[in-house]
Amino acid sequence: MDLAERLARAPRAAVVDPQAQPYAGGPDDGAPVLVLHGFTGSPYAMRPWGEHLAARGFRVVLPRLPGHGTSWRELNVTGWQDWYACVERALLTLTDATGRPAGVAGLSMGGALALRLAQQHPDRVTGLALVNPVINITDPRIRFLRWIRLLTPSLPGIAGDIAKPDAPEGGYDRNPLHALYSQSRLWAAVRHDLPLVTAPLLVYRSTQDHVADASSVELIRARTASVDRSFEVLHRSYHVATLDFDAETIFDGSVELFARVAARAPGWT
């Protein structure tokens, strides 16, 4: 059964949340950047970052991943291959349209998807800016997801881990376990192929993160092959740092990275 058939059978919201709409902006001739949101979230958490990049001359595309921005039940009938197919299609379309390889920015699971793109399409990815990327969780319950998901479809949600008051993420209030189990399969694939990542890396890690532990960033530090790399610590933000106190630091750092790698990247041939 393909994605369209599964979504047609899934309980779902009547419409996409207006705040979860995909975004595209910036000049058509700007250096391309693909921006990717996280699990149970939506483009809402990444739109300020996308708009910041667009205002500085980049051509930005921020897709809405399948199952996101509608209902957690819809997300529960999608899987990592569906989310990856969405971002891969966006990358290919963006690089073909601009005639240039792209930078990729990702938050949380968006970071895992960004790494997968760099592994699968090294010629189309010029650099990666990752915020609290997740490719591993040390919580022992993850090992039992295969069975827990058969007992209950969801657990309390993970959205909204933000230090800044009155800064909602707009994510789901439930964590769909079939989809979470599928995400863990994505993590395994990304971990296996970390040595294939050679693109310049800028990785931000919050010291206080109530969603992800430090193991993902340590694996990225230890096993990627990127020579141009920087690992930065965020002291004032929680997991969704793109909406938190350190957002401007992240945005400005990514502008510097993407401008630098775009300047030396060849045109698309």
Side-chain angles (χ1 to χ4, degrees):
M1 186 183 301
D2 64 16
L3 175 61
E5 292 173 313
R6 281 184 275 136
L7 292 184
R9 294 177 52 181
R12 61 181 297 171
V15 295
V16 176
D17 185 333
Q19 295 190 103
Q21 296 292 343
Y23 168 77
D28 291 340
D29 61 350
V33 177
L34 180 63
V35 181
L36 307 176
H37 68 79
F39 184 68
T40 77
S42 78
Y44 177 80
M46 304 296 277
R47 182 153 183 155
W49 192 356
E51 291 178 340
H52 185 97
L53 289 164
R56 281 149 184 81
F58 294 92
R59 179 61 185 166
V60 177
V61 170
L62 166 53
R64 179 180 66 87
L65 302 181
H68 292 77
T70 53
S71 75
W72 69 264
R73 293 178 177 85
E74 179 181 324
L75 178 55
N76 225 9
V77 296
T78 68
W80 81 262
Q81 295 91 342
D82 304 318
W83 314 323
Y84 180 72
C86 172
V87 302
E88 182 180 49
R89 183 168 57 250
L91 176 69
L92 298 180
T93 300
L94 179 59
T95 53
D96 284 344
T98 59
R100 305 166 72 178
V104 185
L107 166 68
S108 193
M109 183 182 76
L113 292 168
L115 287 164
R116 194 61 178 164
L117 288 173
Q119 292 166 349
Q120 297 290 304
H121 299 283
D123 57 333
R124 291 182 183 255
V125 175
T126 59
L128 300 170
L130 311 179
V131 177
N132 293 319
V134 179
I135 60 169
N136 191 69
I137 294 289
T138 57
D139 187 327
R141 291 175 296 178
I142 292 292
R143 297 200 301 269
F144 300 102
L145 267 180
R146 180 192 300 269
W147 298 280
I148 296 173
R149 67 193 175 110
L150 302 179
L151 302 175
T152 180
S154 68
L155 290 175
I158 58 173
D161 190 33
I162 304 172
K164 192 175 185 178
D166 302 318
E169 181 186 359
Y172 294 150
D173 61 0
R174 303 295 297 177
N175 194 355
L177 296 188
H178 291 292
L180 180 60
Y181 175 71
S182 182
Q183 186 187 180
S184 73
R185 299 300 84 208
L186 167 65
W187 301 340
V190 172
R191 290 195 304 265
H192 182 271
D193 290 340
L194 279 176
L196 299 180
V197 176
T198 59
L201 272 173
L202 173 60
V203 182
Y204 291 97
R205 162 74 181 152
S206 295
T207 55
Q208 295 187 71
D209 186 330
H210 307 97
V211 173
D213 57 68
S215 64
S216 292
V217 171
E218 291 311 308
L219 284 167
I220 293 168
R221 187 196 304 270
R223 298 183 57 195
T224 53
S226 304
V227 175
D228 182 346
R229 51 167 53 199
S230 179
F231 291 83
E232 306 294 335
V233 176
L234 305 175
H235 295 286
R236 300 186 301 151
S237 300
Y238 295 166
H239 186 67
V240 190
T242 54
L243 297 177
D244 219 327
F245 290 114
D246 294 300
E248 289 298 318
T249 296
I250 295 166
F251 300 169
D252 290 342
S254 70
V255 167
E256 190 280 328
L257 170 69
F258 293 142
R260 175 163 50 82
V261 297
R264 68 189 189 210
W268 193 250
T269 58

